Amino acid sequence: MARFQHTVTLVPVPRRWFESCVTTLHDLAESLDADGARLGLPDGRPLPGLVLAEGSHLRPGARYRPVREEDGLPDADQAVTVLAWDRHRETALEAVSLDGDPAHRAQSACVLRLMSAARPREARLSATLRASGDKRAKYLGGTVRLRLDLGGWWPSAAGRGRRSVPAPLSGDLEHVLARATVTVVPRPAPDGHWRVTVKARVEGRSFARPLLPVATAVMGRRARRAFAESLDGAARQWNARLPELVRKQGEELRAELTDALLAP
């Protein structure tokens, strides 16, 4: 078993801003007009690059596909499907992508669930990659699951969360050769920022089980340094981009999200 731990300092996300962002995204999606396969904004501007391929807009089973640039037709290898759309209960979307490489055909599926948009309390993300082809294909797949306790994140970040309760953000990765579990806990920093501690535990599986202790002994220091450097790099990007974004409220935030939808 290998263990990793590192702490970074992050610019905080105000809870009210996060909840307003969730509300604005739902408002924006519900304001789209569906004329057959075509989607457009209430002011008549078309939504480029995306069509409603099946079902009714935002109803469970509705399936959206991106449009290929080369011929303007829906891409049959990519789709986003509405699994649930109820502000007071659950919003759930599934994105599926197929890779038709003859040597290693692969399918990735990602499901995002939010309970609920009216009062966000939990978010879950699961992603699975499955490959087919030769005998090596089974080593190319895996599953990632993440759970974010939105009701517990901000109290923990403010120093009010109990240390005995589960981490607000946790996840695991399953691979044929390894299993990793991750926990993320925010605590307040003296300057009002978040001090976020990430812990990871990796266990070998199958024939990799006895090899992991050897690899940890030989490359443990380098692996821990790479783990810390990757988190530090992500923290730098977060801290560089977030302050400008969280300053946007109301119509300014809606305009920012609308522009993102209209981008090619």
Side-chain angles (χ1 to χ4, degrees), residues 102-160:
H104 295 291
R105 297 184 183 277
Q107 174 180 297
S108 63
C110 180
V111 176
L112 175 64
R113 298 181 181 275
L114 174 67
M115 285 73 66
S116 63
R119 188 177 181 182
R121 61 182 185 275
E122 181 178 288
R124 291 180 180 266
L125 175 69
S126 64
T128 301
L129 175 64
R130 293 188 178 91
S132 60
D134 57 29
K135 294 181 179 180
R136 295 172 295 176
K138 68 178 181 179
Y139 300 111
L140 301 178
T143 299
V144 176
R145 290 176 290 266
L146 295 173
R147 176 184 176 273
L148 174 57
D149 176 7
L150 293 164
W153 179 271
W154 278 275
S156 178
R160 299 193 302 270

Side-chain angles (χ1 to χ4, degrees), residues 6 17-18 26-27 30 36 50-51 58 75 96 115 119 121 147 188 190-191 215 222 226 239 247 249 259:
H6 189 61
W17 181 87
F18 172 82
H26 279 71
D27 289 344
E30 291 169 5
L50 191 69
V51 296
L58 295 185
D75 189 342
V96 176
M115 285 73 66
R119 188 177 181 182
R121 61 182 185 275
R147 176 184 176 273
D191 60 357
R222 183 179 301 177
N239 292 336
R247 282 196 293 268
Q249 306 282 342
D259 289 343

Side-chain angles (χ1 to χ4, degrees), residues 32-47:
L32 296 177
D33 294 323
D35 181 8
R38 178 182 174 274
L39 297 171
L41 295 170
D43 60 12
R45 286 180 293 173
L47 190 66

Side-chain angles (χ1 to χ4, degrees), residues 27-221:
D27 289 344
L28 189 56
E30 291 169 5
S31 72
L32 296 177
D33 294 323
D35 181 8
R38 178 182 174 274
L39 297 171
L41 295 170
D43 60 12
R45 286 180 293 173
L47 190 66
L50 191 69
V51 296
L52 175 61
E54 298 176 33
S56 301
H57 180 51
L58 295 185
R59 301 286 293 177
R63 183 162 295 160
Y64 305 83
R65 295 190 186 277
V67 175
R68 296 195 298 251
E69 293 184 4
E70 58 269 24
D71 56 15
L73 295 176
D75 189 342
D77 291 336
Q78 300 185 61
V80 175
T81 302
V82 175
L83 303 180
W85 193 276
D86 186 329
R87 290 197 187 214
H88 298 284
R89 294 184 179 180
E90 179 185 27
T91 300
L93 303 173
E94 179 186 46
V96 176
S97 179
L98 302 176
D99 184 347
D101 184 344
H104 295 291
R105 297 184 183 277
Q107 174 180 297
S108 63
C110 180
V111 176
L112 175 64
R113 298 181 181 275
L114 174 67
M115 285 73 66
S116 63
R119 188 177 181 182
R121 61 182 185 275
E122 181 178 288
R124 291 180 180 266
L125 175 69
S126 64
T128 301
L129 175 64
R130 293 188 178 91
S132 60
D134 57 29
K135 294 181 179 180
R136 295 172 295 176
K138 68 178 181 179
Y139 300 111
L140 301 178
T143 299
V144 176
R145 290 176 290 266
L146 295 173
R147 176 184 176 273
L148 174 57
D149 176 7
L150 293 164
W153 179 271
W154 278 275
S156 178
R160 299 193 302 270
R162 294 177 297 171
R163 296 182 181 273
S164 59
V165 302
L169 176 57
S170 61
D172 62 80
L173 181 151
E174 294 278 354
H175 184 268
V176 67
L177 296 181
R179 181 176 188 271
T181 58
V182 178
T183 60
V184 182
V185 177
R187 296 296 182 196
D191 60 357
H193 284 54
W194 289 343
R195 291 281 291 168
V196 179
T197 299
V198 182
K199 296 181 180 180
R201 184 179 66 185
V202 183
E203 300 176 279
R205 304 177 68 184
S206 184
F207 63 82
R209 186 186 299 273
L211 298 179
L212 184 61
V214 177
T216 301
V218 174
M219 302 182 62
R221 182 175 298 178

